[in-house]
Amino acid sequence: HSTRLAMLSNNLTHWKKLPLLPSLTNQPHQVLASEPVPFADLQQVSRIAAYAFSALSQIRVDAKEELVVQFGIP
């Protein structure tokens, strides 16, 4: 049954094959077996991200002149 199903699914032309997930490492088992990231490091990254978000949300542009200038064609 699974062989027949595989043959039928290969014949479907309207299904697009999804791209593979990006690979960040050639040795995923080593990454998964390594020590976890210390909680203090996670807190520091979260704190820095919060500071960056706060800084970006406070940026204001005070446009004194028009950003788009109309040019006349003679």
Side-chain angles (χ1 to χ4, degrees), residues 18-40:
L18 296 176
L20 298 176
L21 292 176
S23 176
L24 301 178
T25 179
N26 293 331
Q27 305 292 327
H29 58 282
Q30 289 181 348
V31 174
L32 294 172
S34 64
E35 291 293 320
V37 177
F39 185 68

Side-chain angles (χ1 to χ4, degrees), residues 35-58:
E35 291 293 320
V37 177
F39 185 68
D41 290 355
L42 294 175
Q43 283 181 315
Q44 183 176 9
V45 169
S46 295
R47 191 171 29 254
I48 291 170
Y51 289 150
F53 176 77
S54 175
L56 287 173
S57 65
Q58 293 176 21

